[in-house]
């Protein structure tokens, strides 16, 4: 069963296209990472899925229903980010009870244990929490609600290192205990790459690529060596990123087209071959140009 | 995986109680507003004076009118407030759609109207006690009978609810475009000077009198219910298309 | 600028301004209140409201001079009409302010004069069927404000008989301030009661005389006689 299906999804704000004919689908019970640069349309997409905003054109179905203004969708999909709003008059512990009343699959036990683990004061109010604590609390709501589709949009904003790690562990453990579809959008791909099964990379409001994370790891590799040699080796390849490290040394990332002999050729030519860290790869994939920030400072 | 359907009525009920809790502090403002109104009422809301050669009679009249008027304005402010973005976003933290959100809002406003009206009508008694205790023991009044009391609360509730529906509508318009924040007050104050001819009352006064001078209870209820339903329906259908948490 | 104009602009204007003040208040208020304060406020305020509602019936019945709103006697016109038609016997005792009785009056004529502030006094005269040589005078309050009889506040006319002259002494000019509580406007709208409802009378008091049947009255200007049949 497909949890999300969307085709040619377009969303325009005034004249700016946030999403531009985006098409993809997400299978049931998978943890999908939504990756993209700032302004790529991640949040817009997630809010359309959550039913907060309406697509301008195209089609989207979540659990085979249109999500906008759909009560069922609202009950099955929870969208967690650091802007979730809670009343300033209801203390935290009671907020958990309110959430429990709304979500049929709510796991009180989990909520309470997380609440205590992160040492929340039951009597304090949501608006008094620090940024990190806010994110942590929202995360608890997101996890404990056990919605069939749980969306975390930049869930770790403001969290410190250890809380972030705890969060990912909690997410994974609860996912194993109660499989459901989860979409994670994060800037810190390196942190979540062990968690993800699928990656959906969007660029300029379009799906750039969507594949299992294991494939993405072999999507490209890097070559580093003498300018001429590297140029020779990569002339028939799709270059993702190119950088001159020194006057005669070039670093190039190319798409893996599956040719085996490149490895040997490279070794003969004294060119180093290395895998590309996923987070780097995603950054390069979503760059506008083939060069990096260095290009700005290279005068020639 | 089979997904359970979500019941609209149950959702509305949950949202309503959530709203009631979330907006509880608005009642502090109501109390403040009513106390202020009581203070203004201590001077009497009307007075008359007449005399003959041997007697000069000054009469001062005391009512809870100011309290009710202030309660109406408070309700108007309340209704506008719950259409604002923070309040709508609050609904969308949990299970909702726009329809359930609007229904819960209307139920909330209905509650607010009844509670506010009860307080306003009861404050009439407080006013009498204050006048008797602190101002003048020579004080003529008749106790409001149960019938008058119930009538007072229900008619005031009708008024407050209607004002809520207008406030809700105004708030909705403002959500469409902030241009209305300038346009609507300008329209209101402008209409004070808008008259069919120099000797006649401003149109807005006629609108007030349309309800205030209706002496048939049935007609009054019909007028109020239609007006209220109209404003709530328009607002709900506008809000139904509105995007949230942008 | 006529009054209708002033009132009809002034009230909505005031409402508009109050609205703006409340908007500002609502914004500021949120900063100072929290849930606990709200519950306390609600608890105390509703407590006070209920308490005063419990007190009000008592202050109305005991200490406040609250008269029964006996509809048949309320209107002053009715009271005077009743007085001229049926005589004093049918008038509620509460309107009688003062009673004076003068015995053994043997003269055939009686001069009636006024003294004091009131130069015009209305006098009802009833001829007795039996001759007991007595002149009886009653001061009757006809002042009813908004359904409330304020006879307790009025200083009654004083009637004196000396030689063959009856003098009605009206008191010094009285200043009476009264406070009246009215139901709020949503109630008034349907009971038809208006906030200021004063049946202004020319006469706040009248004098009622019972005289022997053959006595002749000689009155000075300013006294308006009315004989009961």
């Amino acid at each position: 069963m497909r949890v999300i299906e969307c085709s040619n999804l377009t969303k325009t704000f005034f004249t700016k296209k946030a999403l531009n004919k985006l098409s993809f689908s997400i299978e049931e019970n998978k943890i999908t990472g939504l990756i993209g640069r700032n302004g790529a349309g991640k949040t817009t997409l997630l809010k359309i899925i959550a039913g907060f905003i309406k697509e301008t054109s195209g089609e989207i179905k979540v659990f085979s229903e249109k999500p906008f203004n759909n009560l069922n969708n609202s009950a099955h999909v929870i969208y967690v980010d650091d802007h979730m709003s809670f009343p300033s008059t209801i203390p935290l512990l009671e907020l958990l009870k309110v959430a429990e009343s709304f979500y049929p699959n709510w796991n009180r036990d989990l909520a309470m244990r997380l609440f205590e683990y992160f040492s929340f004061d039951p009597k304090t109010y949501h608006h008094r929490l620090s940024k990190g604590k806010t994110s942590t609390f929202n995360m608890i709501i997101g996890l404990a609600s056990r919605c069939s589709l749980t969306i975390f949009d930049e869930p770790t904003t403001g969290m410190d290192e250890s809380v972030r790690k705890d969060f990912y562990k909690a997410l994974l453990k609860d996912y194993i205990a109660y499989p459901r579809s989860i979409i994670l959008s994060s800037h810190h791909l390196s942190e979540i790459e062990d968690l993800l099964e699928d990656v959906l990379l969007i660029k300029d409001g379009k799906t750039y690529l969507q594949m299992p994370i294991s494939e993405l790891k072999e999507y490209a590799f890097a070559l580093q060596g003498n300018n001429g040699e590297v140029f020779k080796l990569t002339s028939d390849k799709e270059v993702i990123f190119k950088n001159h490290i020194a006057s005669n040394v070039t670093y190039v990332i190319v798409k893996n087209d599956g040719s085996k002999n490149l490895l040997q050729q490279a070794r003969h030519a004294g060119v180093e071959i290395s895998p590309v860290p996923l987070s780097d790869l995603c950054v390069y994939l979503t760059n506008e140009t083939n060069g990096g920030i260095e290009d700005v400072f290279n005068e020639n | 995986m089979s997904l359970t359907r979500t019941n609209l009525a149950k959702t509305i009920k949950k949202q309503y109680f959530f709203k009631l809790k979330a907006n509880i502090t608005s009642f502090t403002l109501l109390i403040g507003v009513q106390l202020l109104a009581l203070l203004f009422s201590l001077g009497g809301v009307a007075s008359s004076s007449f005399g003959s050669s041997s007697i000069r009679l000054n009469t001062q009249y005391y009512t809870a009118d100011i309290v009710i008027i202030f309660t109406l304005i408070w309700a108007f402010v309340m209704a506008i407030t719950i259409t604002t973005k923070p309040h709508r976003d609050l609904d969308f933290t949990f299970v909702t759609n726009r329809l359930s959100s609007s229904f819960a809002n209307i139920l909330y406003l209905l509650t607010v109207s009844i509670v506010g009206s009860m307080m306003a009508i009861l404050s009439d008694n407080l006013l009498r006690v204050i006048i008797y205790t602190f101002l003048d023991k020579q004080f003529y009044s008749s106790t409001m009978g149960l019938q008058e009391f119930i009538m007072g609360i229900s008619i005031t509730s009708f008024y407050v609810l209607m004002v809520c529906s207008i406030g809700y509508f105004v708030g909705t318009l403002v959500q469409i475009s902030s241009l209305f924040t300038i346009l609507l007050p300008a329209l209101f104050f402008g209409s004070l000077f808008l008259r069919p001819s120099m000797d006649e009352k401003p149109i807005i006064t006629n609108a007030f009198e349309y309800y205030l001078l209706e002496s048939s209870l049935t007609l009054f209820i019909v007028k109020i219910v239609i007006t209220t339903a109209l404003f709530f329906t328009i607002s709900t259908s506008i809000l139904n298309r509105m995007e949230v948490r942008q | 600028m006529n009054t209708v104009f002033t009132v009809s602009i002034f009230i909505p204007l005031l409402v508009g301004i109050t609205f703006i003040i409340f908007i500002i208040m609502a914004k500021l208020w949120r900063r100072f209140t929290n849930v606990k304060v709200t519950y306390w406020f609600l608890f105390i305020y509703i407590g006070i409201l209920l308490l005063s509602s419990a007190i009000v019936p008592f202050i109305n019945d005991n200490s406040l001079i609250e008269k029964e709103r006996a509809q048949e006697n309320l209107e002053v016109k009715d009271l005077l009409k009743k007085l001229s038609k049926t005589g004093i016997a049918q008038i509620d005792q509460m309107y009688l302010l003062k009673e004076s009785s003068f015995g053994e009056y043997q003269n055939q004529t009686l001069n009636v004069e006024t003294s004091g502030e009131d130069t015009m006094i209305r006098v009802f005269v009833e001829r007795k069927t039996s001759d007991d040589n007595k002149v009886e005078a009653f001061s009757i309050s006809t002042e009813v404000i908004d359904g409330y009889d304020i006879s307790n506040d009025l200083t009654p006319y004083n009637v004196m008989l000396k030689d063959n002259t009856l003098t009605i002494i009206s008191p010094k000019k009285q200043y009476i301030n009264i406070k009246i509580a009215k139901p709020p406007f949503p109630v008034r709208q349907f009971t038809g009661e208006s906030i200021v409802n004063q049946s202004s009378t020319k006469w706040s008091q009248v004098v009622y005389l019972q005289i022997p049947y053959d006595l002749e009255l000689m009155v000075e200007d300013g006294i308006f006689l009315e004989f009961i049949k």
Side-chain angles (χ1 to χ4, degrees), chain B residues 3 29 37 56 88 96 106 133 147 162 166 192 200 205 225 246:
Chain B
L3 295 171
L29 183 62
R56 181 93 208 154
R88 279 186 300 135
T96 186
I106 293 169
T133 322
Q147 199 200 341
M162 182 176 77
I166 299 169
L192 294 183
E200 283 179 66
T205 316
V225 166
Q246 278 186 17

Side-chain angles (χ1 to χ4, degrees), chain C:
Chain C
M1 205 179 272
N2 57 35
T3 21
V4 172
F5 175 80
T6 331
V7 167
S8 57
I9 286 206
F10 187 66
I11 291 173
L13 203 64
L14 212 65
V15 166
I17 291 165
T18 321
F19 164 69
I20 291 164
I21 293 170
F22 282 9
I23 286 267
I24 297 162
M25 268 171 85
K27 282 202 174 140
L28 293 178
W29 205 269
R30 210 141 287 167
R31 254 183 247 168
F32 299 108
T33 53
N34 60 46
V35 187
K36 252 187 205 159
V37 171
T38 304
Y39 281 124
W40 273 110
F41 268 36
L42 271 175
F43 185 71
I44 295 171
Y45 185 63
I46 292 176
I48 290 174
L49 288 183
L50 291 177
L51 191 72
S52 49
S53 307
I55 292 173
V56 158
F58 293 104
I59 59 175
N60 282 347
D61 291 340
N62 301 325
S63 330
L64 291 189
I65 311 145
E66 200 242 351
K67 297 289 176 197
E68 275 291 301
R69 295 181 158 214
Q71 288 302 324
E72 53 216 275
N73 277 342
L74 282 187
E75 289 299 321
V76 182
K77 265 186 279 172
D78 288 353
L79 187 70
L80 294 176
K81 222 183 274 170
K82 207 169 173 187
L83 205 57
S84 68
K85 235 186 220 163
T86 59
I88 197 158
Q90 299 296 315
I91 298 298
D92 198 315
Q93 284 294 309
M94 70 180 182
Y95 296 108
L96 297 185
L97 297 180
K98 199 174 178 190
E99 195 180 335
S100 338
S101 182
F102 312 100
E104 299 310 312
Y105 190 77
Q106 304 293 348
N107 294 356
Q108 289 305 303
T109 58
L110 178 67
N111 293 324
V112 185
E113 289 175 358
T114 64
S115 141
E117 295 281 335
D118 273 0
T119 46
M120 292 191 290
I121 292 175
R122 191 165 176 186
V123 177
F124 290 87
V125 182
E126 183 190 331
R127 292 191 187 281
K128 289 183 208 171
T129 42
S130 60
D131 193 356
D132 57 357
N133 291 337
K134 259 189 182 170
V135 173
E136 278 166 291
F138 303 88
S139 303
I140 296 173
S141 155
T142 59
E143 195 64 75
V144 175
I145 303 282
D146 228 325
Y148 296 103
D149 160 48
I150 56 157
S151 43
N152 286 7
D153 289 339
L154 287 178
T155 314
Y157 288 150
N158 206 2
V159 183
M160 295 222 304
L161 185 69
K162 203 179 178 190
D163 301 330
N164 61 346
T165 304
L166 188 85
T167 316
I168 301 169
I169 306 158
S170 50
K172 269 204 298 190
K173 186 157 184 165
Q174 289 189 76
Y175 293 89
I176 299 176
N177 293 309
I178 57 170
K179 294 180 164 62
I180 296 177
K182 288 272 183 160
F185 73 85
V187 176
R188 293 202 307 272
Q189 183 176 353
F190 297 101
T191 54
E193 195 175 345
S194 63
I195 185 148
V196 176
N197 175 29
Q198 198 154 48
S199 35
S200 121
T201 49
K202 199 173 174 187
W203 320 98
S204 52
Q205 288 183 50
V206 293
V207 173
Y208 189 94
L209 293 179
Q210 287 181 321
I211 54 168
Y213 71 96
D214 54 353
L215 187 67
E216 197 183 332
L217 292 180
M218 319 274 287
V219 297
E220 65 167 24
D221 277 358
I223 291 184
F224 300 87
L225 281 186
E226 196 169 322
F227 289 93
I228 313 285
K229 280 146 228 159

Side-chain angles (χ1 to χ4, degrees), chain A residues 156 159-161 164-165 167-168 186-196 279:
Chain A
T156 54
M159 286 186 192
D160 60 34
E161 189 73 26
R164 259 203 298 239
K165 280 183 178 149
F167 164 60
Y168 292 127
S186 176
H187 288 306
H188 308 278
L189 182 61
S190 54
E191 282 180 7
I192 58 170
E193 61 174 273
D194 299 334
L195 224 66
L196 302 180
S279 51

